[in-house]
């Protein structure tokens, strides 16, 4: 099977499309806001498993009686037996009081308690951010040496879009952010870069084989069509695996898989439709400039 | 040549299947791996050290605090506890299978500073000069019997001599416990703390704390995460099942797209999985959820390497090359792309490993190990397989690839 898709002709459409998505994503991030979990905000979270199904109202009443009414109570699973209670940071004594009173609702088992000061998540986030910035610099350097500088920047622009769109989607769906979210973004970062290199490698190879007078558009289009099969196969495979983790994995890895799934999809899209056209337009512009101002003739 | 290739291929596959069966059914390698507490259940806590009037937070006081924490953790009797210094002023403690985690955390972080003061508030003797402390019952009361070492005994004798007939208040963690009246001079360094312990256990715990010595710095719980053993167990079971399903889907997709070549790649991928788990076992890596994320990414890259190789070989065949030539050229072209993509990911992983904090480190480590192994299996093993298959003259190899 060979493809003949014209990726380049409609590049304006792809750019507009991703601009819209980026705006929506930025709206998600800044207006709707990220749903920071206690890893970032600090607080106490515990999960209880009751002996029979209960109502959120009953749990809420106990919490309000203990003056921690601003807590969140959500069910885990479908049986309405397991609840996750998120409260602001409370002392151990307060927590024990709450648990003692909670026995009135129904007998329960304590499954997990997570108590975090806001410092931890923020620091993980900052350390990861600094590491990513340095890694980005290193990647730009590597691609500039092995390929050319324009590839490096086109790749990083597309990478930035990936991250913004993924984080935006996460904000819109309102997934609760834990430190695992940082891992998911890092993984997407790695996956997208990987995807981009494969595409760029093809363009680089075809540039060497470029016939005289063959327009650059042709070369890029041919390259993209050649890697299309591989792109589809690889992302389908990875998405199948992530889908399985999403559906069958436990609650702990569900949000992680969902974030990854969104990111892999977006990453595949931007590799094909954004990174390469950006590189091409840039290169065409540079070529046109070079032609317009020929090298000054040396007067000797 | 042909028969030898068939033989080699069959033998190779047979060995791998037998080894795979052994490591997955008879003696599952996953059973030997160490799982993090997020999967296994237990407490993970991070203490922040804060300076006290007695000591600033420095390397020396942190070392002392670690030593004291280790002593106390051992008294809790948990298996394989982990006590690590994180940065300059934090201590991370991992405890598996503790019954009452909150209580355990409070116990570990207690300062346990014992001070006997003069009526005017001057510190005369401290817990640092204790040689032992025992919880016991004395005259129907729960008490902690204290014995001072020689230095403490001298100080205590001086104190009881000087303040004979007066009260000597005893403070624990800055709180007044009791203020007994000194009836006689005590020369042997024996004393009793009877500060209204409700149970013998309470007295024993206080005794343990006093024995371990006073923490030079204040330890504040910065974060603690308790996962019950049942939830941990469920997480492991669910993740294992999900991983098995994910791997099966990948394997089927590969066979669907690349037929026999896909099957051979699946075998190479299987080898990859075992080598990865084996390496994680060998370096004593602790498998946590972030680590699993790293495994997923490297697995995706291993699959990708195979997909790239086959796509390339297929292309060369379509363009009219003989199977052998197509395999050689296809591989050469594919490897350049694979090398470049793996190199960039590896560079990011190294940086994440050295710059990131705990969770990020685990992710980066599995990713790096995974990349190295995937390069080996995809590039070396898959190539051998396909060459042998071509030599074996299963050559409608062309049909295998082109479909």
């Amino acid at each position: 099977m060979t493809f003949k898709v014209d990726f380049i002709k409609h590049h304006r459409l792809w750019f507009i499309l991703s601009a819209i998505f980026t705006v929506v994503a930025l709206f998600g991030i800044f207006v709707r806001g990220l749903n920071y979990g206690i890893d970032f905000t600090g607080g106490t979270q515990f999960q209880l498993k009751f002996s029979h199904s209960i109502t959120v109202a009953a749990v809420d009443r106990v919490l309000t009686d203990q003056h921690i009414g601003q807590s969140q109570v959500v069910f885990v699973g479908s049986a309405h037996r397991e609840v996750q209670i998120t409260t602001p940071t409370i002392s151990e004594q307060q927590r024990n009081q709450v648990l003692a009173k909670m026995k009135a609702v129904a007998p329960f088992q304590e499954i997990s308690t997570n108590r975090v000061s806001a410092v931890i998540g923020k620091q993980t986030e900052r350390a990861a951010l600094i590491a990513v910035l340095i890694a980005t610099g290193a990647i730009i350097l590597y691609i500039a040496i092995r390929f050319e500088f324009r590839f490096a920047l086109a790749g990083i622009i597309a990478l930035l879009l990936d991250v913004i769109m993924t984080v935006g989607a996460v904000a819109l769906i309102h997934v609760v952010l834990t430190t695992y979210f940082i891992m998911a973004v890092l993984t997407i970062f790695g996956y997208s870069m990987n995807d981009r290199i494969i595409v760029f490698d093809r363009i680089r190879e075809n540039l060497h084989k470029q016939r005289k007078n063959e327009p650059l558009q042709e070369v890029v289009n041919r390259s993209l069509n050649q890697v299309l099969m591989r792109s589809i196969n690889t992302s389908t495979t990875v998405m199948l695996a992530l889908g399985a983790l999403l559906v069958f994995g436990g609650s702990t890895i569900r949000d992680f898989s969902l974030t990854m799934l969104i990111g892999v999809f977006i990453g595949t899209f931007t590799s094909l439709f954004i990174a390469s056209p950006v590189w091409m337009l840039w290169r065409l512009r540079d070529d046109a400039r070079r032609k317009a101002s020929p090298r000054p003739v040396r007067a000797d | 040549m042909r028969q030898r290739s068939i033989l080699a291929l069959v033998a190779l596959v047979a060995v791998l299947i037998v080894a795979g069966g052994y490591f997955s059914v008879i003696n599952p390698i996953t059973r030997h791996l160490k799982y993090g507490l997020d999967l296994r259940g237990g407490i993970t806590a991070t203490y922040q050290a804060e300076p006290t009037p007695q000591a600033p937070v420095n390397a020396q006081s942190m070392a002392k605090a670690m030593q004291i924490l280790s002593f106390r953790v051992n008294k809790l009797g948990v298996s394989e506890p982990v006590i690590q210094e994180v940065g300059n002023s934090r201590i991370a403690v991992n405890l598996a299978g503790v019954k009452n985690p909150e209580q355990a955390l409070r116990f570990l972080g207690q300062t346990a500073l014992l001070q006997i003061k003069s009526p005017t508030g001057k510190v005369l003797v401290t817990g640092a000069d204790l040689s032992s402390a025992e919880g016991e019952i004395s005259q129907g009361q729960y008490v902690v019997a204290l014995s001072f070492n020689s230095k403490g005994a001298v100080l205590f004798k001086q104190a009881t001599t000087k303040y004979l007939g007066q009260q000597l208040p005893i403070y624990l963690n800055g709180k007044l416990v009791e203020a007994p009246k000194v009836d006689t001079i005590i020369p042997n360094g024996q004393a009793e703390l009877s500060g209204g312990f409700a149970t013998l256990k309470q007295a024993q715990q206080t005794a343990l704390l006093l024995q371990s010595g006073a923490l030079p710095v204040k330890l504040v719980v910065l974060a603690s995460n308790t996962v019950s053993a049942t939830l941990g167990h469920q997480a492991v079971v669910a993740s294992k099942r999900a991983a098995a399903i994910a791997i099966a889907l990948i394997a089927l997709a590969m066979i669907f797209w690349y037929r026999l070549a896909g099957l051979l790649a699946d075998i190479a991928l299987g080898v990859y999985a075992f080598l990865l788990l084996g390496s994680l076992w060998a370096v004593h890596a602790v498998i946590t959820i972030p680590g699993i994320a790293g495994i997923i990414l490297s697995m995706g890259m291993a699959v990708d390497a195979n997909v790239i190789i086959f796509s390339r070989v297929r292309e060369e065949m379509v363009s009219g090359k003989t199977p052998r030539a197509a395999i050689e050229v296809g591989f050469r072209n594919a490897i350049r792309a694979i090398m470049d993509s793996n190199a960039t990911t590896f560079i990011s992983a190294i940086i994440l490993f050295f710059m990131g904090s705990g969770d990020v480190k685990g992710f980066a480590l599995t990713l790096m190990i995974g990349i190295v192994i995937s390069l080996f299996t995809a590039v070396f093993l898959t190539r051998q397989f396909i060459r042998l298959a071509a030599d074996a003259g299963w050559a409608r190899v062309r049909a295998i690839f082109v479909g």
Side-chain angles (χ1 to χ4, degrees), chain B residues 120-186:
Chain B
T120 51
K122 208 177 121 225
V123 178
L124 304 172
V125 194
T126 69
D129 298 322
L130 279 174
S131 68
S132 80
E134 301 284 344
E136 45 190 53
I137 305 174
S138 160
Q139 296 165 357
Q141 262 194 321
Y142 301 114
V143 299
V144 177
L146 307 171
S147 327
F148 288 98
N149 58 23
S150 50
K151 183 185 159 210
V154 171
L155 287 173
F156 196 52
K157 189 180 167 192
Q158 285 170 359
T160 47
T161 315
K162 189 166 171 196
Y163 298 102
L164 189 66
Q166 296 182 45
Q167 281 188 328
L168 281 186
I170 303 177
Y171 290 83
L172 190 58
N173 298 334
K175 240 172 50 192
L176 181 69
V177 183
E178 58 176 336
K181 198 170 144 228
V182 182
D183 294 328
T184 54
I185 296 169
I186 304 172

Side-chain angles (χ1 to χ4, degrees), chain B residues 227-252:
Chain B
V227 176
S228 81
T230 29
L231 179 70
H233 180 68
Q234 280 168 0
V236 172
V237 170
S239 310
K240 266 188 192 162
R241 195 181 54 171
I245 293 171
I247 290 170
L249 283 175
I250 291 174
L252 287 176

Side-chain angles (χ1 to χ4, degrees), chain B residues 51-105:
Chain B
T52 57
Q54 288 85 32
V57 176
N58 57 24
Q60 204 187 347
S61 60
M62 286 301 281
K64 174 90 174 138
M66 296 269 294
Q67 192 193 339
I68 291 169
L69 274 188
S70 305
F71 180 89
R72 293 182 186 174
V73 166
N74 283 334
K75 292 291 172 195
L76 282 175
V78 297
S79 67
E80 297 181 50
V82 178
I83 301 164
Q84 271 176 324
E85 198 169 340
V86 181
N88 297 324
S89 63
R90 289 191 188 155
I91 300 174
V93 177
N94 292 356
L95 307 173
V98 173
K99 264 200 207 118
N100 197 335
E102 291 283 329
Q103 212 180 325
L105 283 181

Side-chain angles (χ1 to χ4, degrees), chain A residues 258-293:
Chain A
L258 183 65
T259 312
M260 281 285 300
L261 203 58
I262 299 169
V264 167
F265 183 80
I266 295 173
T268 311
F269 170 83
T270 57
S271 281
L272 294 171
F273 293 94
I274 304 294
S276 309
V278 165
W279 171 81
M280 190 198 72
L281 292 177
W282 200 332
R283 167 101 183 219
L284 284 178
R285 199 197 62 172
D286 285 358
D287 285 353
R289 239 187 232 168
R290 205 172 306 141
K291 239 175 241 166
S293 59

